[in-house]
Amino acid sequence: MYQFIFNILIFNFLLLAIVSASNEYNHQQARQIGRELLVDQRGGTSYKTIASAVSSAVPGDKIILAKGSGPYRETLNIRKSGTATAPIIVEGNGETITGFDPMPFTFNDNVWMYTLSKPFETAPAVITWYGRRILQDQNTGEFIGPIKLRTDGKTLELTSGTSAEGWEISTRLFVVALNGVSHHIYRNIIATGSLNDGFNLHGDGNNIIFENIAGYNNLDEGFSSHETISCTITNGRFWANDNGIANVHNSVTNITNVMIHDNVGYGLWLPDNTTSNLVDIRVWNNGAAQIRLNGRATGTATRVSVWKSSWSSPPWRRYMESKVVKNTTTLDGNAAYTSVPFWTGKSEIMNISTMPIPVNPTANSTVPSIAVLIQNAITTSRSFVVLPAGIHRLTDQINIRNATNLEIDGTGTTLIMTNRKRSILSISKANNLVIRGLTFDYDPLPFTQGTITAVTLSSITFKVHDGYPDLDNGFGSTPPAHLFKPDGRRHPHAYDFYKPSLKIITNRTGTLIKTGPNWPVTLAIGDFVALDRRETDATNAVNIFDCIGSVTFEYIVMLSSPCLSFVGRYNLDVVNFRRVTLRPGSVPIGAIQSRLLSTNADAINFAYCRKGPRIENCDISHQGDDSLNVHGPFLKITSVLSNTRFQFTHPRPYSFLHPTKTGDTVRLHANGSFNLIGMAKFASYRLVNTSDEVTTYEINLLTSPTTHLAVDQWFDIPELNSPDYIVRDSYFHDHRARGLRLMASNGLIERNRFERLTKCAISVGPEFGYWREAGWVNNVTIRNNNISYIGVDISLSATGSITPGAISIFVHTDKQLTPYPNNHSNLIIENNAIQEISVAGIHAYAVNGLLVRNNTLFHTNLIRGQ
């Protein structure tokens, strides 16, 4: 009997092992098909270089460059073909792959000099200063910038007073190179700095697709295909190359929605026996011919717009095919003829007065002002404006007011604000505005950081890291202090951030004396501290106010902000964030340690708007507060005039009621518990009076509410809480506070990733107590998200935490005592994967109507298990 039972046990064990092995084999097989090969040269992934991922890629794989991980100083060259059903895909995420390397100048004879390996005349290269190409004047050969070539032809010398920082020179032949391959897809890639082409295609290949690419600052073409290559370009921009696009031999190319401008030679050049189908192409401000066709080039032209140049001869020296051209023409070769039998359609010659302003300087011009370019586009009702590449230092904010149906492309453009008390962009009254490609930063940085040199129970002494701002009174007496380990991660035993007293010993050393919770007992010499200036500078990088139509941000990078990054107020329509990255910038000049912070407070904060933001494919990290905060007004009734009229006060005149509409909902809440006790319909409001201390407003209702109005009742208007928001396919990680702080209704949160946050990933509920933000939340779906490593310090699990879950449904009242009112409704939490959480995976209260299903929880409540 016992032997029989033993045999059964052995059999079951072996069967389980076989099944497990089979499942593992099937799992391994599944992983080999359609893999994602993540590349991040900063570390933390399987591949640190593009080349290493390329060597592993097989048909069906996707090579992904991590957002914020560039630029990559190597060549992307995939030598394998995909298949028609399993192409090899490269997702660039808007990162730059470059042929540039830094130019290490040396200081000799009181000047900065750089020696080329060969004379520039025989071996030219692209030279840039802070991202802007330094061109040569066509007639004199002099560089149009703060650099000159000595008589030996090999030594470059900076003009007196010019910084030796920020210079780069092209050193690699290609950036993206293909030869004899097929079935590839390249998305969202910027190619710069090659000694030849940014995108170079050779041999026999087909089904090669390029989506949303840019090629600029390349010595030859931005894009060039040869031999019998067949490819497609959809959405692209090519400028500051010798030629924008030049396809030759027998290549076949479909080109749609592409801008070609400010190249030093030809804009679009299609010779030989090429076949090209052109749709929605815009060509302007190129040095020689705007469009040149010759040979037996065939194809179609649909909505191809070309502008005549404002110059008669090329203003810049060229180095490749157009170097001998003497005159600038609009259309050249076959393109100059009205009727060419092997072309269908023709280019429309645009009015020169509508031509975009050149962004490359000439001997008689300078790089145009960003603010002037944008304002001129608004004033003249132009539909698009292109900003010059490179770094532009600002002393005051750029105002974008009344922009209607305007597209601003700033690919390769960085705006650095030099005044911490000024915003970078102030957008108002916009309608259908698109802003693309810009990078934002502040210098001096709105925070500083240092290494802890001594610790006691009550104080920390620290030394500021080299290259970071000095300590001064601008930090205030109790600046927010963030604690980190030397690897840049938030200190695991910190209690949120601290508000210690700052004592400045020298401009590079200081002492922090605790005024609240104790320092972590594990805090040690060698740990890091960062001090932010959010309270003293109180400035947001980008303000979006009073917009009447949609505003869209695409491929934006935010590196720092004194307070909030993107702020939406009083908008009537949606603001879109697509592929927006918020991350720390590069180390400052003279620094060794990486930046610990990106922006000081929230990444995206919307209030008093009729629509919340739509966030898609974004990457937000390292900020000092929430990734997203949506809320609205929550106000107390101070005087009842009738049962359809009441007044409230506010410390100052405010525009929070500006977006209201007749028929909006007014919700009434009991004082203290904030239970929902009545409803009414909004009719109108007016400002009664204002003084130095208080402003009084009056609200008129369409009909009497479902409960009698009374002094000290509270009210909100859910249509102003920034409802109807969508957050999908985005990554929120490595920052303080919450991922999403949702205090508005009608939201969809799906397919996002949340990792290494100090507080909950997603909180749903109002801040009635203290913050007085928004109201009860209805109709929100949270599905298919991956949430891990939430609660990386002890603040989420501390006594009194109102959101003790990775996903938390809650209410914050004045009393915080049970029983809580339960006025949330129709909330769905489904198909989420939640793991490695210090507290609960899902924690909910104050809700009537919650559906939780098909979620996977693993390793939750870890702090209670210790």
Side-chain angles (χ1 to χ4, degrees), residues 650-656 687 690-691 694-695 697:
H650 195 269
R652 62 186 185 277
Y654 223 59
S655 301
F656 41 67
L687 190 153
T690 185
S691 68
V694 69
T695 300
Y697 292 87

Side-chain angles (χ1 to χ4, degrees), residues 599-619:
T599 191
N600 287 343
D602 295 351
I604 301 172
N605 185 297
F606 271 61
Y608 325 124
C609 296
R610 294 197 70 86
K611 286 191 176 181
R614 175 169 290 188
I615 300 171
E616 299 176 296
N617 291 291
C618 294
D619 188 319

Side-chain angles (χ1 to χ4, degrees), residues 189-204:
I189 296 172
I190 299 173
T192 69
S194 73
L195 286 166
N196 195 262
D197 304 331
F199 295 87
N200 178 277
L201 288 66
H202 272 279
D204 180 25

Side-chain angles (χ1 to χ4, degrees), residues 199 202 207 245 320 368 371 389 464 481 518 520-521 668 690 770 837:
F199 295 87
H202 272 279
N207 192 28
I245 296 178
M320 299 300 177
V464 175
N518 291 330
V521 295
L668 300 171
T690 185
Y770 186 73
I837 311 299

Side-chain angles (χ1 to χ4, degrees), residues 493-508:
H493 301 124
Y495 179 77
D496 205 9
F497 70 79
Y498 298 79
K499 293 294 297 295
S501 295
L502 171 62
K503 179 181 179 182
I504 299 174
I505 302 171
T506 72
N507 62 349
R508 306 302 291 173

Side-chain angles (χ1 to χ4, degrees), residues 781-844:
T781 297
I782 302 169
R783 67 189 181 200
N784 300 314
N785 300 284
N786 285 290
I787 303 172
S788 59
Y789 300 98
I790 303 302
V792 296
D793 65 16
I794 64 172
S795 57
L796 186 57
S797 57
T799 301
S801 173
I802 59 175
T803 56
I807 300 176
S808 290
I809 315 299
F810 78 107
V811 61
H812 186 195
T813 68
D814 282 337
K815 297 180 179 179
Q816 282 304 111
L817 297 173
T818 58
Y820 294 106
N822 57 343
N823 297 135
H824 296 311
S825 65
N826 193 25
L827 305 181
I828 300 173
I829 303 173
E830 62 182 358
N831 301 317
N832 300 286
I834 306 171
Q835 61 179 338
E836 309 300 333
I837 311 299
S838 66
V839 290
I842 300 172
H843 189 277

